[in-house]
Amino acid sequence: MHLPTFGLGTFRLQDDTVIQSVTQALKLGYRAIDTAQIYDNEKAIGLAIENSQVHSSNIHLTTKIWVDNLSQKKLIPSLKNSLNNLKVDAVDLTLIHWPAPQNPIQVEEYMSALLEAKTLGLTRRIGVSNFNIDLLKQAIAIVGAENINTNQIELSPYLQNRQLVAFMQSQGITVTSYMTLAYGKVLQDPIIQDIAQKRQYTPAQVVLAWAVTKGYNVIPSSTKKEHLASNFEAQHITLSLEDILRIDQLEANSREINPESLAPLWDQ
């Protein structure tokens, strides 16, 4: 299954909350679920999928390897544990969650182990998350650009990562945007609200449609059925070139997530 343009993010959702979110999303037509080992919700997601009317083979599952499991010795066993939690034989996509520059494990070791996981059939595709251009170049040298399905990065109208995006697109690496709504901050922006009012969309739909129009994959999360449904409709919204350009001008290099021990030196 190819990487769907639109999926459900599950960051900070756990237990009954994530079960309800995934259950509602699948009923609404979502077919991509994004999780991670550190989210501590893989078991709950596996249960939600098992109890849904949608077979797991029809759901694109992404998980991410946490920094504690980056070594060659730990990466594959940790992924097998994730598969057990998710109740599947393989996931569609496995990412390195953070490059963790202060971690003693080098890029060559964990990218080689990740490629081995693909060779073993534990994951259909592999990729990375929160990599800058330099780290992407290192990863490409090790496994080839053709084996890096995506780089999942924080990207919103306030943080557009244009240099990184341009490099990824030049290499054929899909841009997956997380934190697309910047914790809701962009929804209060006067330009976003003006476009939403004129087009009779919600501010969230405008921002998500902007990202999809630019060719990015998005994985917004929500616990409310109406928001899940509204977000899902955004992929079918067409914004005008003027709308896109107005949103493009909101770039502020404003980052919401930047953990010191995990994040690389970001491209400006």
Side-chain angles (χ1 to χ4, degrees), residues 151-221:
N151 182 20
Q152 190 176 114
I153 56 174
E154 181 183 344
L155 191 152
S156 76
Y158 289 167
L159 179 71
Q160 296 182 32
N161 273 311
R162 289 172 180 162
Q163 286 187 13
L164 178 56
V165 166
F167 176 76
M168 289 167 61
Q169 291 174 335
S170 76
Q171 299 298 311
I173 297 172
T174 299
V175 178
T176 299
S177 162
Y178 74 80
M179 211 60 68
T180 316
L181 306 180
Y183 280 135
K185 292 179 182 178
V186 296
L187 305 184
Q188 309 305 317
D189 191 281
I191 288 178
I192 299 296
Q193 292 194 339
D194 182 61
I195 295 171
Q197 186 175 23
K198 287 181 177 178
R199 306 295 183 196
Q200 295 187 318
Y201 300 135
T202 69
Q205 284 179 323
V206 168
V207 176
L208 294 170
W210 165 81
V212 171
T213 300
K214 294 183 79 69
Y216 310 151
N217 291 357
V218 294
I219 45 171
S221 64

Side-chain angles (χ1 to χ4, degrees), residues 90-107:
V91 286
D92 295 279
L93 178 62
T94 302
L95 309 178
I96 298 299
H97 202 156
W98 284 93
Q102 296 179 26
N103 192 302
I105 309 302
Q106 299 300 304
V107 178

Side-chain angles (χ1 to χ4, degrees), residues 93-147:
L93 178 62
T94 302
L95 309 178
I96 298 299
H97 202 156
W98 284 93
Q102 296 179 26
N103 192 302
I105 309 302
Q106 299 300 304
V107 178
E108 182 173 6
E109 181 172 345
Y110 60 69
M111 289 307 301
S112 296
L114 190 61
L115 183 59
E116 183 182 354
K118 179 184 177 184
T119 302
L120 291 172
L122 302 176
T123 180
R124 296 177 182 90
R125 294 178 182 83
I126 61 175
V128 296
S129 181
N130 300 298
F131 272 41
N132 62 11
I133 293 174
D134 178 62
L135 285 164
L136 275 179
K137 287 180 177 178
Q138 292 182 52
I140 289 169
I142 297 159
V143 302
E146 70 278 6
N147 277 311

Side-chain angles (χ1 to χ4, degrees), residues 22 26 33 44-56 59 61 86:
V22 170
L26 291 175
I33 309 295
I45 290 171
L47 184 62
I49 292 172
E50 184 179 51
N51 292 334
S52 76
Q53 301 299 312
V54 184
H55 194 272
S56 60
I59 301 170
L61 279 174
L86 290 163

Side-chain angles (χ1 to χ4, degrees), residues 22-57:
V22 170
T23 300
Q24 291 286 1
L26 291 175
K27 286 180 180 178
L28 290 166
Y30 285 75
R31 290 298 180 267
I33 309 295
D34 180 275
T35 183
Q37 293 174 344
I38 197 65
Y39 296 174
D40 195 25
N41 61 15
E42 289 176 328
K43 281 187 177 180
I45 290 171
L47 184 62
I49 292 172
E50 184 179 51
N51 292 334
S52 76
Q53 301 299 312
V54 184
H55 194 272
S56 60
S57 62

